[in-house]
Amino acid sequence: NNSSQLSSLPLQILLYVNGIYYIFYFLATLAMIIYKSQVFSYPDDFLAPDLAVLFLMAILEVPRLYLGFKGNLTEAEAPLGLSLGLTVGSVVLCVYLLLWQTYVLWADVLLNAVLLAAYGLESGLKVTAIAAFVS
Amino acid sequence: PADARDAVQARVRSAPAPVTDVAKLCVCDLLVAQCDANCCCDPDCSAEDFSLFTSCSVPVVTGDSQLCSQKAAVYSLDVEANPPERIFKLIDQVNPSIFCIHATNYKQALYLKSPEIPTPENFDQLLAKFGGATFSAEPDTWNLDTDAQNPPEANETYRYEYGAPVQTEDAFLRLPSPVVSSWCSDANPAGFLVNQATKCIRSVSVEKCDSIQALSMLFYINSSILAVSCVFQVNITVQSIIFQSLNGTRTLLNGSDVLRLPMVLDELCINAVLRVNYHITHTDTGEIIEAAAAFVLGAISKEALSIEQSFEISFTQENAQPVPLSGNPGYAVGLPVRAGFWPQGYPFPAAFLFAALALSSNKHSQLTILQSTSNQDCLAAQGARAPVLFGYNMISGCKLRITAAMKCQPLAQTLLDVLKGQSFPEYVASFGNSQAQDVLDWVPITQLHISEQMISNTLQSSCQIPVSLGIEVKWTKYGSLVNPQARIVNVTATVTTTTLKQLPSGRERIIPITSSVVFTDISSPAEPGYKAWPTINIKLPFDFFYPFV
């Protein structure tokens, strides 16, 4: 790492890959919810919260990734900190979809585990980057 | 005491918990405390019973196979061992699919819901929810207003539909019919537009005949029919009354507005109802406007313990003259062949108008054939005829006893009447629904006369008597290959005559007289037909090239 450039390259790569992976994750989870509602007994009272959580997560993801990119590239710690906060929210929603969804299929477990791992790694890299920017 | 009662109620309120442990679940264990044959999971079976089994009817007991990993109980018989013994294994079954259910947070997902036990507290709400004809499939959503229930009285405010019971002011219009046995049951309602004819046996006793309700006319015309709603009612009028005496002769009563009630007279019960024919007239919107009943009243003798009653109901639309069709459009097997006359002396179109009237009102303008009776004498069995049903080949006959005293010419005429019937039709309908106005839909009957002794040179002037009538109906399949309709193409009536030889006096001879109907299928093989390609017809308007042409 050059001393003149504080932006973290691994974080940038991870954010970029996260964005692509999230699109795939969103479409796959939505398709599986539709499949579950056709194959299993899925009353509306249980379908609504699951769909709400998924869409909320999608809405949170966009500013989170944008703030992460911006913060890392402009070497500003405020957007990066805000992105870290949004990441906490996304982690909570991801844990809901992993554990407390109405039907948790094996494919759900895989997708959510990968996403959680990505979030965890991202959070670590963001903390390191903030520490680098502040100091 | 109250707490014991509460405890009992608490126990009753919940249904027994469902068994979910696969080791304890056994589907083939049907007999209580006895060993079921070939049921390897039955806990009532001992080792000796297992040694007699040939195979396991239930080899595996698992839960929902969509779970990723679940317990399964596997039962098998080890036939190599001596004696054979049952092997029970509890294994973990893994579903390799990536869409297997890893976990579920919805309790009812994999189990059937335990129904609520009715108690005095929740009975009304359960009745509101499930008491109607339909109820919602979603278990958690229901509403208390009674839109699911449709009380049957509401139907009559709109109109009658096919099959709906005809309502009267107190109950339904009854058409007594045999239910399980041949005894009459008065609980059969007449369905709207359902023409029915029923026969049943009712037990009677002559002493109490004026108190048996079902023998009196009043029972059948007492309550008035509801036309559509509670307000408008139609009284059942008496159309005609026919008296039937004990030996079967029937006389029509003039002036049918008098009610005849059963009474005991000279050890007979007279005015007992033997037959009721209801005729209901309705509009095309499902309202009943008229109802009439025709009765046959008879006498019951003292020895009779039961009588047979027959009932019929028919519906006709107002301002319509129904002609029973024998198929639509092709003939249906088993329905009578329709036939008619063309009255002479009328101009062409009007002729068939009259024929229409003749066909609709006169049931005897059918094609009929002599009906064999138990008394096989041709001259005694006058008038018994059977309708010719499409597709059914029939043969019937009788025996003619010729004595020396019989004159030939009247005998020939009588035999022709016996064979052909009183009014032998001239035209037969080509289709089952042919209308009388359509001239081309009617096929003329070709009459042939064949003499049996054409070869020998007996003079034609010697008397010939008809001995057989053969009707040959040629029909073809018409229309599409998938749904062919039967169409009558040709009808030939062949009368075969033979010479009547003079018998020496005192001798008599018996000649068989036969009549037959044969249906022959002369359909040509099906040809494939292709739809014509659509053609484009473009025509320019005539003033298209206006300035130039």
Side-chain angles (χ1 to χ4, degrees), chain A residues 32 35 39-46 96 98-110, chain B residues 64 66-68 95-110 138-141:
Chain A
M32 278 201 290
Y35 163 77
V39 171
F40 307 125
S41 152
Y42 213 148
D44 291 341
D45 310 356
F46 290 87
Y96 173 90
L98 177 64
L99 293 180
W100 299 311
Q101 218 182 13
T102 310
Y103 292 96
V104 182
L105 304 183
W106 184 236
D108 274 325
V109 171
L110 283 176
Chain B
D64 194 340
Q66 283 176 316
L67 292 173
C68 286
N95 184 354
S97 162
I98 200 168
F99 297 117
C100 63
I101 301 178
H102 185 254
T104 164
N105 293 308
Y106 172 42
K107 272 288 173 323
Q108 292 101 306
L110 305 171
E138 280 297 335
D140 298 318
T141 56

Side-chain angles (χ1 to χ4, degrees), chain B residues 98-178:
Chain B
I98 200 168
F99 297 117
C100 63
I101 301 178
H102 185 254
T104 164
N105 293 308
Y106 172 42
K107 272 288 173 323
Q108 292 101 306
L110 305 171
Y111 305 111
L112 294 174
K113 186 182 171 198
S114 301
E116 263 182 70
I117 301 288
T119 60
E121 291 85 47
N122 63 4
F123 186 79
D124 291 322
Q125 139 201 342
L126 283 179
L127 184 66
K129 188 166 153 197
F130 296 114
T134 59
F135 52 85
S136 162
E138 280 297 335
D140 298 318
T141 56
W142 49 268
N143 42 4
L144 269 171
D145 46 318
T146 56
D147 57 339
Q149 261 181 332
N150 203 357
E153 297 87 50
N155 272 343
E156 67 180 19
T157 55
Y158 304 115
R159 59 175 200 278
Y160 280 109
E161 294 180 346
Y162 177 83
V166 175
Q167 314 232 347
T168 62
E169 52 183 346
D170 50 355
F172 297 109
L173 184 65
R174 280 174 294 259
L175 203 70
S177 68

Side-chain angles (χ1 to χ4, degrees), chain B residues 37-114:
Chain B
N38 273 349
C39 185
C40 295
C41 53
D42 196 344
D44 308 313
C45 294
S46 62
E48 292 98 37
D49 297 318
F50 285 132
S51 65
L52 296 171
F53 289 171
T54 51
S55 65
C56 284
S57 57
V58 174
V60 168
V61 182
T62 63
D64 194 340
S65 59
Q66 283 176 316
L67 292 173
C68 286
S69 107
Q70 54 178 319
K71 286 230 174 303
V74 179
Y75 300 93
S76 58
L77 276 182
D78 183 11
V79 287
E80 304 294 321
N82 187 16
E85 52 186 33
R86 172 198 79 164
I87 303 176
F88 167 63
K89 279 197 292 236
L90 204 60
I91 60 172
D92 277 319
Q93 207 179 43
V94 172
N95 184 354
S97 162
I98 200 168
F99 297 117
C100 63
I101 301 178
H102 185 254
T104 164
N105 293 308
Y106 172 42
K107 272 288 173 323
Q108 292 101 306
L110 305 171
Y111 305 111
L112 294 174
K113 186 182 171 198
S114 301

Side-chain angles (χ1 to χ4, degrees), chain B residues 401-422:
Chain B
R401 244 180 43 216
I402 304 184
T403 59
M406 281 187 182
K407 295 274 186 297
C408 176
Q409 207 45 40
L411 182 65
Q413 191 54 44
T414 314
L415 280 179
L416 207 60
D417 282 339
V418 165
L419 281 173
K420 282 197 171 174
Q422 289 301 99

